[in-house]
Amino acid sequence: MAMNRRTLLTSAALAGAGALMARSPIGARAQEQTDVIVLGAGLSGLHAAGLLEEVGKRVLVLEGRDRVGGKILTYEVNGGHGELGGQSMGAGYGRAIDAAERNNVELYNYLPRFMNAGAPELVLDGKVIAKDTWENSPLNPFTAPYQAAMPWDVAPRVIAEGNPLRDSGDWVEPASFKHDTSLHAFLTKQGMTDAQIDLAYDTIVGYGTSAHDVSALMMFFVDAWNRMQQQVAPISYGARQGNSKITEAMAASLSSEPRLGQEVVAIESTSDGVDVRCRDGSRYSARAAICTFPFSTLRNVHVSPVLIGAQRMAVQTLPFMKITMVVIEAKSPYWEKDGLNPSMWTDGPIGTLTALRYGESDDEVTALTAWARGNTADYLDRLGPKATKELVVREIEAIRPAAKGQVKAVHVHSWGLDPFSAGDWAVFAPGQVAAFVNDMAKPHGNLFFCGEHTAKVNRGMEGALESAERAVFEAIEII
């Protein structure tokens, strides 16, 4: 359920302004004091900072990177753009849409141009398999009613048909915890064989590294959330010049610019406030702090007093998805020569190859992006950027001879190797939802937590904003 913005502002306005901290962080005098320190300048942090400023609080945003946006990251290529982070906003992304509109960022619905582009080519064992031959192909392990379905459609269909959740928020209810088993166990119970699961899920994973290490309950949550988006309207919004325009505008609207290059190494929550120390020696104090860090990086920050119990377990063990993306320029539309779709779904090291259509016309392909996930992303990360670019070009040219000499890999981005994310979206392993989902974001003294991984009703960009509102509600009680 969405937070009521009017209620938030009214409640906060009634809270008295807190006195500034006078004590020092981690045993030394702080260089600066403020009302609230927000750790991280991604969507969650910027939204939290904006809400706090609207009710008169002094806010300092600290960001370790040299840019704002967190996991929202637009790149420019071939006169157009693409997204390395948050891709799109569905019709039910009320908070995200509002954030764009309030900051005068133009949105447009690009779903029609992608839908009209058709399904990607299926590539197995390095060869393109014609869609009209797939049903009877010797490589097709599926049986009725899924025999004619493409591999990427099978697991989502089985999950949707067996999903016990009526609402996306039901996954955190104790009554749902009996479903917190592995996705593999669920798919097997639905009658799928190991060979079917391997092709339908493990070949290109959406979460984790295989169906064995992801919670079926989390996948039910994802399905319920996606279903809700479709029920609102079949829409995929994006910012006209890239989604980074949204976070850049949010940052520019703050009274104080976020401090970049401030890598937090220690957070001390005391009886009357919070002290923060950064790697460069900078020290800050406030009545409260809101931490947006994914647990994959928070586990490397010294938190005092130490987190305990289920919350500590969450910070130390919650996995985050490994994603490595390669941006590719096409020197010519080689797909017109071979008559195939430029996008591909493969069982090889390039994973999925997606044609981007952010140009002036619906038919224009501005670039291609290869997505490697899970263990495949780890493999590319071990190769390094130069060898990864060479491998991706070699693979495309081998699969599509018409692409010979026509493709150039221009950029590699690994979310797994990013020191400030160490992965992309959160992945709940079997048993982890029941173990800590309702405890992982509880306040720790005057330290509060948000971020997409702590959202309980929404996912993606909307989840990040939802979690920020909860954290602000909690923080204004003490400031």
Side-chain angles (χ1 to χ4, degrees), residues 192-436:
M192 294 186 69
T193 66
D194 283 350
Q196 292 169 348
I197 296 171
D198 179 66
L199 185 59
Y201 189 84
D202 295 353
T203 297
I204 297 184
V205 292
Y207 296 82
T209 62
S210 78
H212 287 282
D213 61 16
V214 60
S215 167
L217 180 54
M218 189 201 72
M219 297 304 295
F220 295 151
F221 165 44
V222 173
D223 173 68
W225 162 243
N226 290 333
R227 184 174 66 240
M228 185 266 283
Q229 294 299 311
Q230 290 300 312
Q231 289 172 347
V232 176
I235 286 174
S236 286
Y237 286 123
R240 178 64 67 178
Q241 295 178 301
N243 292 333
S244 286
K245 294 297 181 183
I246 300 174
T247 48
E248 290 167 0
M250 292 172 71
S253 71
L254 298 176
S255 298
S256 280
E257 293 183 1
R259 301 277 180 89
L260 304 181
Q262 293 292 280
E263 181 183 355
V264 173
V265 296
I267 307 168
E268 181 181 3
S269 182
T270 70
S271 61
D272 56 355
V274 176
D275 298 332
V276 174
R277 176 163 56 88
C278 297
R279 189 169 298 282
D280 66 358
S282 300
R283 300 169 183 269
Y284 307 93
S285 293
R287 290 294 307 277
I290 294 178
C291 178
T292 73
F293 299 161
F295 289 172
S296 50
T297 61
L298 180 59
R299 63 188 60 144
N300 298 317
V301 176
H302 177 75
V303 178
S304 177
V306 298
L307 300 171
I308 61 173
Q311 190 171 41
R312 180 175 180 82
M313 182 191 306
V315 171
Q316 294 298 319
T317 66
L318 182 66
F320 283 75
M321 191 66 193
K322 299 293 184 65
I323 296 283
T324 299
M325 304 172 71
V326 184
V327 181
I328 300 136
E329 287 183 349
K331 300 176 185 177
S332 71
Y334 61 85
W335 46 90
E336 294 180 0
K337 184 176 180 180
D338 64 19
L340 301 175
N341 194 308
S343 297
M344 298 189 293
W345 188 98
T346 85
D347 61 352
I350 64 174
T352 57
L353 185 69
T354 302
L356 306 183
R357 300 175 184 273
Y358 295 112
E360 293 299 321
S361 69
D362 290 356
D363 295 332
E364 181 184 1
V365 175
T366 52
L368 303 121
T369 304
W371 291 61
R373 306 170 183 231
N375 290 333
T376 306
D378 276 338
Y379 170 67
L380 295 185
D381 289 348
R382 290 194 298 272
L383 290 180
K386 182 175 184 295
T388 290
K389 291 179 183 178
E390 293 171 352
L391 172 64
V392 168
V393 170
R394 197 162 57 243
E395 286 287 315
I396 295 173
E397 292 181 342
I399 297 168
R400 307 279 289 271
K404 184 73 173 178
Q406 301 304 307
V407 290
K408 178 183 179 181
V410 296
H411 182 68
V412 178
H413 185 83
S414 169
W415 287 108
L417 294 181
D418 185 326
F420 301 105
S421 63
D424 202 328
W425 50 82
V427 180
F428 286 79
Q432 287 189 330
V433 180
F436 51 63

Side-chain angles (χ1 to χ4, degrees), residues 163-171 173 176 220-221 223-225 227-228 231:
N163 190 346
L165 305 183
R166 293 178 299 175
D167 182 83
S168 61
D170 291 345
W171 74 303
E173 297 297 329
S176 299
F220 295 151
F221 165 44
D223 173 68
W225 162 243
R227 184 174 66 240
M228 185 266 283
Q231 289 172 347

Side-chain angles (χ1 to χ4, degrees), residues 2 40-41 53 75 159 196 263 307 313 414 422 426 462 472 479:
E53 283 197 349
Y75 64 88
I159 292 169
Q196 292 169 348
E263 181 183 355
L307 300 171
M313 182 191 306
S414 169
E462 189 70 5
V472 169
I479 58 173

